[in-house]
Amino acid sequence: VRDENTSDEFRIELKEVFGDGSMHVITKREDAGRDIKLLAEKAAQKVLRSTVSALEIGRYKGHALCTTCTDLNETPLTYFEIGARKFEIGGADNIGITRSLDTVLRLLDDKSKKCEEDIQAWGKNIASVSEELNRPWDHEVKFKALEVELQALETELRQDAPKQDNA
C-alpha cells in the first residue's frame, strides 16, 4: 500500500481542523505538521468524551493516521495502525512530525523482516522443546522405584504411629 502511494512530492490528506471533518490535501510539510498537532488535540478531546478508543485524523501514503488519548494530562498518541499494530508518530516540531511519518513507513520493511526472523527463531525453539519433551527421561526407572519405596515407608510409618487416645 505504501509503495503504491509514493510520489516525489509531499502530499497528505487531513481532516479539516475547524471544519466539518471532510478531508483536504496539504502539500507543505510545515502546514501538515501544524494541522496534525491541532487535529490530534481535537481528536484526543473527542476520544476522552466518548466511547471510541481512537479517531482517524487523516491518511498518508494509503495508511490511516489515527489519534488516541487516555488521560486529559497526557499527550495524544498519533500513530499508523497497520495489521492490528500501532506505529507511533514522533517529532518535536511541525516538519519533524511529517518526517516521522516517512520514517515510520520506511522502517516497516525492517520491522517485517525482524518479525519473520523472530517467527523462524521461535519455530526452531518450538521444535527443540517438542523434541526434548518427547525424549524419554533418563532417570524415570529410578524415580518410579523411589516412589514405590516412599509409599512403602509412609505405610510403615502410619502403622507404627501411636494410636491417639480419644478419652
Side-chain angles (χ1 to χ4, degrees):
V1 171
R2 172 202 61 201
D3 294 344
E4 290 172 2
N5 290 282
T6 300
S7 68
D8 292 336
E9 294 184 21
F10 178 79
R11 184 182 194 292
I12 188 169
E13 290 179 85
L14 293 174
K15 291 190 174 182
E16 292 289 337
V17 175
F18 299 108
D20 59 0
S22 62
M23 297 284 219
H24 68 286
V25 174
I26 298 176
T27 57
K28 292 184 180 174
R29 286 186 178 275
E30 189 153 350
D31 294 343
R34 181 196 64 237
D35 283 3
I36 289 170
K37 283 194 286 191
L38 290 170
L39 284 166
E41 288 295 328
K42 281 184 67 178
Q45 294 299 317
K46 285 182 182 178
V47 165
L48 291 171
R49 291 190 313 258
S50 70
T51 59
V52 297
S53 61
L55 288 172
E56 182 177 327
I57 62 170
R59 296 193 72 75
Y60 185 64
K61 294 189 177 184
H63 296 285
L65 186 60
C66 302
T67 296
T68 190
C69 191
T70 56
D71 189 315
L72 268 175
N73 298 320
E74 181 181 293
T75 302
L77 172 68
T78 302
Y79 60 92
F80 288 115
E81 187 166 0
I82 302 169
R85 289 199 55 205
K86 292 179 177 139
F87 296 92
E88 185 176 348
I89 305 303
D93 61 12
N94 294 342
I95 292 177
I97 291 169
T98 60
R99 296 273 184 228
S100 179
L101 297 171
D102 291 321
T103 301
V104 167
L105 292 179
R106 186 178 63 250
L107 293 176
L108 287 177
D109 292 333
D110 294 340
K111 290 179 188 280
S112 175
K113 184 179 177 185
K114 171 79 170 96
C115 285
E116 288 173 11
E117 291 169 355
D118 289 348
I119 289 168
Q120 287 178 348
W122 280 107
K124 289 177 183 175
N125 286 345
I126 290 170
S128 173
V129 168
S130 293
E131 183 181 309
E132 187 67 27
L133 287 171
N134 292 327
R135 199 176 75 195
W137 185 33
D138 295 338
H139 305 288
E140 187 170 2
V141 172
K142 184 175 181 180
F143 175 75
K144 291 200 184 274
L146 288 171
E147 264 187 327
V148 169
E149 185 179 338
L150 175 63
Q151 288 174 357
L153 287 170
E154 286 176 344
T155 302
E156 190 177 320
L157 282 171
R158 273 187 248 122
Q159 289 173 351
D160 288 347
K163 307 242 186 225
Q164 291 188 347
D165 196 5
N166 291 337

